[in-house]
Amino acid sequence: MDLNNEVERLLRQALPLDELYIKSEGSHFEVIAVSADFTDMSRLKRQQAINGPLMELIAQNTIHALTVKTFTPEQWVRERKFIMPS
């Protein structure tokens, strides 16, 4: 099983994401998620929205470390140039 694909499948199934980027190195994952649904969410709620669908993988220690960055589409337009390699 390709874990990046599994993480993507779980997140897309749970959330209406405009864009999703996943990088992994072993059991360390970095997720960048963009969704209009994040507009009215606190940073904690956004983190929980991403962690929730991945809890089983985290509990199994398949995902040992998870870094999450979340953006609304408007925030992403401003921030992507600083985050994404060109």
Side-chain angles (χ1 to χ4, degrees), residues 11-46:
L11 291 175
R12 288 197 181 278
Q13 193 175 304
L15 299 162
L17 298 170
D18 297 346
E19 295 184 55
L20 178 63
Y21 303 94
I22 300 163
K23 285 193 322 192
S24 64
E25 198 172 295
S27 61
H28 294 239
F29 284 76
E30 181 177 343
V31 171
I32 297 173
V34 181
S35 175
D37 276 22
F38 294 145
T39 302
D40 295 323
M41 287 187 192
S42 67
R43 183 178 290 176
L44 177 62
K45 289 288 184 200
R46 292 178 181 197

Side-chain angles (χ1 to χ4, degrees), residues 26-78:
S27 61
H28 294 239
F29 284 76
E30 181 177 343
V31 171
I32 297 173
V34 181
S35 175
D37 276 22
F38 294 145
T39 302
D40 295 323
M41 287 187 192
S42 67
R43 183 178 290 176
L44 177 62
K45 289 288 184 200
R46 292 178 181 197
Q47 180 88 29
Q48 290 169 339
I50 298 296
N51 287 3
L54 304 178
M55 284 314 288
E56 190 172 319
L57 293 175
I58 294 168
Q60 296 167 350
N61 216 26
T62 303
I63 295 177
H64 175 71
L66 178 62
T67 301
V68 175
K69 295 179 182 162
T70 57
F71 301 93
T72 64
E74 296 78 19
Q75 290 170 326
W76 185 237
V77 167
R78 290 192 309 267

